[in-house]
Amino acid sequence: MKYNFKFNRQLLIIVIGVLFFIPYLGNVHLFDWDEINFAEAAREMIATGDYLNVRIDFVPFHEKPPLFIWLQTISMHIFGINEFAARLPNAIIGIITLLILYEIGKKLFDEIFGMLWVLTYIGSILPHFYFKTAIIDPLFNLFMYIGIYYIFRYYSEKLNFKYIIFASLSVACAVMTKGPVGFLLPTLTWLSFIFIKRKLYRLPYKELFIYTLISIIPAGIWYLLIIINSDNGLISEFIIYQIRLLTTGDAGHSGPIYYHFIILLIGCFPASVLILRAIRNTIKDTEDRINFKIFNLLLLSVVLIIFSIVETKIVHYSSLAYFPITYLATITLYYTATSTIRWKLSSTIFIAIIGILFALALFWFPIIMKNIDLFIPRIYDEFTKEVLKSKIHWGDYDWLIGAVYFIGLLVSIIYISRDKLIRGFIILFGTSALSIFLILPILAPKIEAYTQNAPIEFYASL
């Protein structure tokens, strides 16, 4: 009976992932600069039959390794060269991610915690949305987080060396997905943990050496093969690119030092407003729970510090923080639901304020756009005026997404106020997930029409 219970939970997660991540993947054209580049690199692999080299416009492009692009080529071989095929790998990665979060949460706590973590992740804005894109980061982040988890297991399992091997292999895949940062972030998190726990654990020289060696070998072999089959300028170009990302606002992507703090606060809502309650340890925290919390706090700190210093500011860069943010938020949900800590009125107020702002934005935005002619005379930028004059049909009921979000928010707050916390949390994050899901088929095509319709029609005509 226990086996069936476990199977049903996992099956439920798969069904939820399929329903939320796969529909409407091809509903809009590739949008983000990265989406277009990676999909084009996959298309050119198929066109040339060369799966070793990454190309953009049939010119070598070795700023990114090929692992994710290989997954896109497989998808395109099966489903054709289109938006759905380009985005499908991340939808599948999303389902795998939810299953992994469930298993980690169940091992550290129980099945309820595992399911709450799944709910928290799928019900937070950017963590959910990223699995509907064709960018590298969901796979990249998953490999790094698995690597950090196995480093944690190395300590929780009495320095069992096999977990260093598992961590190394996962980090190696991260490096093969996006480059050296896949090694840097987990390693800095590990070294930070060693420093904090220096009275308990020695610096593991041998383990670090083997971990480093295994982590860089696959990417090293790939770069060596590229060098053998190309000119000698590859390494210098790669190094120049990495330095440019660190020291300049590459491709116009710059921003203030607090950029990623704001992005994570808004983009990971509702989870982001719940993390502070999880920092303090409780009487139910075992040594493993405390250590894994430390790893997550350190990971969050490393991501924020590194990418706040880096001059290039892009939303994707801090996306690894989605894991520690949702984990810490789940601790708050779990411990309040099990009466280990008390739910505070301030948390309810914070959720209500930001939630109402989101609901108002989703409610009024389609209404304003439907009546945009009333606002155009007040806009002084000529380019913006011309864009907004595009003949886009906004439906009479597009505002319902905002209404649905508001009603769900209100009902969840009522349940939370009555100490029916689990039900309130399910409605809160479930409503958020449903609203994000509805944006893609209802609002996204219209937003895209303003930004891309004219150039897409021009390209198609040629």
Side-chain angles (χ1 to χ4, degrees):
M1 190 69 181
K2 186 176 180 181
Y3 175 79
N4 289 333
F5 180 73
K6 173 184 176 182
F7 174 79
N8 289 336
R9 289 285 178 102
Q10 292 173 323
L11 181 60
L12 176 61
I13 291 169
I14 293 171
V15 171
I16 289 171
V18 168
L19 291 177
F20 275 99
F21 296 150
I22 295 181
Y24 305 112
L25 285 179
N27 204 44
V28 294
H29 295 96
L30 297 176
F31 195 85
D32 183 79
W33 184 88
D34 287 331
E35 269 202 316
I36 297 167
N37 267 345
F38 303 143
E40 174 61 13
R43 187 191 73 83
E44 291 182 19
M45 279 188 177
I46 295 172
T48 62
D50 180 2
Y51 297 92
L52 178 64
N53 291 279
V54 179
R55 293 182 175 88
I56 298 293
D57 199 20
F58 297 96
V59 174
F61 178 83
H62 299 307
E63 294 174 2
K64 298 291 187 294
L67 184 54
F68 179 74
I69 297 167
W70 286 340
L71 297 182
Q72 287 185 308
T73 62
I74 294 171
S75 180
M76 288 179 181
H77 272 299
I78 298 172
F79 297 101
I81 297 172
N82 52 57
E83 290 85 355
F84 177 85
R87 292 178 177 134
L88 181 62
N90 272 343
I92 296 171
I93 290 162
I95 297 168
I96 295 170
T97 298
L98 297 183
L99 289 169
I100 289 172
L101 297 185
Y102 170 73
E103 292 297 331
I104 294 175
K106 186 184 68 172
K107 184 171 181 63
L108 281 168
F109 290 84
D110 53 31
E111 289 92 345
I112 293 175
F113 187 96
M115 292 302 293
L116 280 174
W117 195 358
V118 169
L119 178 68
T120 304
Y121 205 95
I122 201 173
S124 297
I125 299 170
L126 287 180
H128 178 135
F129 178 73
Y130 265 40
F131 293 131
K132 295 175 175 290
T133 68
I135 63 175
I136 282 178
D137 298 81
L139 180 64
F140 179 57
N141 296 333
L142 179 60
F143 280 135
M144 286 191 288
Y145 196 69
I146 292 173
I148 290 169
Y149 173 69
Y150 279 128
I151 293 170
F152 155 75
R153 289 291 300 277
Y154 167 71
Y155 291 99
S156 69
E157 300 292 338
K158 299 179 180 179
L159 307 183
N160 189 331
F161 184 73
K162 74 177 182 180
Y163 291 108
I164 296 297
I165 302 299
F166 295 158
S168 306
L169 294 172
S170 188
V171 170
C173 290
V175 176
M176 277 296 290
T177 303
K178 201 174 180 179
V181 177
F183 173 80
L184 177 66
L185 299 180
T187 306
L188 286 177
T189 304
W190 185 10
L191 292 174
S192 301
F193 179 81
I194 293 170
F195 177 77
I196 290 175
K197 294 286 187 175
R198 59 190 179 277
K199 293 182 179 180
L200 292 177
Y201 303 114
R202 62 174 179 82
L203 185 65
Y205 295 101
K206 182 184 73 174
E207 289 82 355
L208 275 168
F209 175 76
I210 295 173
Y211 160 86
T212 301
L213 189 64
I214 295 175
S215 296
I216 64 176
I217 281 177
I221 293 172
W222 178 71
Y223 278 113
L224 181 61
L225 291 173
I226 294 295
I227 292 169
I228 292 171
N229 291 280
S230 66
D231 58 62
N232 295 324
L234 170 64
I235 297 299
S236 60
E237 290 177 9
F238 178 79
I239 293 172
I240 290 170
Y241 169 73
Q242 300 300 325
I243 293 173
R244 188 172 74 245
L245 287 181
L246 292 172
T247 58
T248 65
D250 190 53
H253 293 290
S254 58
I257 195 168
Y258 54 82
Y259 174 89
H260 289 292
F261 289 86
I262 302 300
I263 289 296
L264 293 175
L265 174 63
I266 298 173
C268 290
F269 180 81
S272 57
V273 304
L274 302 173
I275 63 176
L276 293 179
R277 296 292 308 281
I279 294 176
R280 183 179 298 179
N281 295 330
T282 72
I283 57 173
K284 290 189 178 180
D285 277 324
T286 63
E287 183 181 359
D288 281 354
R289 292 179 185 179
I290 292 172
N291 281 343
F292 194 57
K293 185 195 298 183
I294 291 172
F295 268 104
N296 278 274
L297 287 169
L298 290 173
L299 174 60
L300 179 58
S301 301
V302 165
V303 170
L304 284 172
I305 291 170
I306 293 294
F307 293 114
S308 294
I309 294 172
V310 169
E311 287 295 326
T312 302
K313 299 291 193 296
I314 301 177
V315 175
H316 315 325
Y317 284 7
S318 58
S319 56
L320 178 57
Y322 303 165
F323 286 104
I325 287 173
T326 55
Y327 176 72
L328 294 169
T330 306
I331 291 177
T332 298
L333 299 184
Y334 180 82
Y335 277 150
T336 53
T338 56
S339 301
T340 304
I341 60 175
R342 293 182 62 186
W343 179 262
K344 288 190 175 182
L345 178 62
S346 58
S347 299
T348 304
I349 293 172
F350 207 178
I351 288 172
I353 291 172
I354 298 180
I356 289 171
L357 291 176
F358 271 115
L360 289 174
L362 289 171
F363 181 86
W364 282 108
F365 177 72
I367 294 175
I368 291 171
M369 298 309 294
K370 185 175 177 62
N371 299 278
I372 195 62
D373 291 342
L374 300 175
F375 298 92
I376 286 179
R378 301 183 182 183
I379 298 171
Y380 298 103
D381 183 78
E382 291 300 323
F383 178 77
T384 304
K385 275 187 177 181
E386 293 304 314
V387 168
L388 292 176
K389 287 178 182 177
S390 302
K391 300 300 180 183
I392 309 301
H393 175 71
W394 287 85
D396 294 330
Y397 301 102
D398 292 342
W399 52 268
L400 279 175
I401 300 177
V404 168
Y405 190 91
F406 179 77
I407 292 169
L409 176 70
L410 183 63
V411 172
S412 69
I413 289 173
I414 291 171
Y415 275 113
I416 290 171
S417 301
R418 295 177 178 176
D419 286 331
K420 297 179 179 179
L421 297 176
I422 288 288
R423 190 172 297 179
F425 296 150
I426 291 173
I427 294 172
L428 174 65
F429 285 92
T431 300
S432 180
L434 177 61
S435 300
I436 299 164
F437 173 82
L438 291 174
I439 286 172
L440 194 61
I442 297 175
L443 298 185
K446 295 161 187 174
I447 296 171
E448 187 218 6
Y450 286 108
T451 60
Q452 297 193 151
N453 254 15
I456 287 173
E457 289 176 359
F458 173 71
Y459 300 146
S461 71
L462 301 176

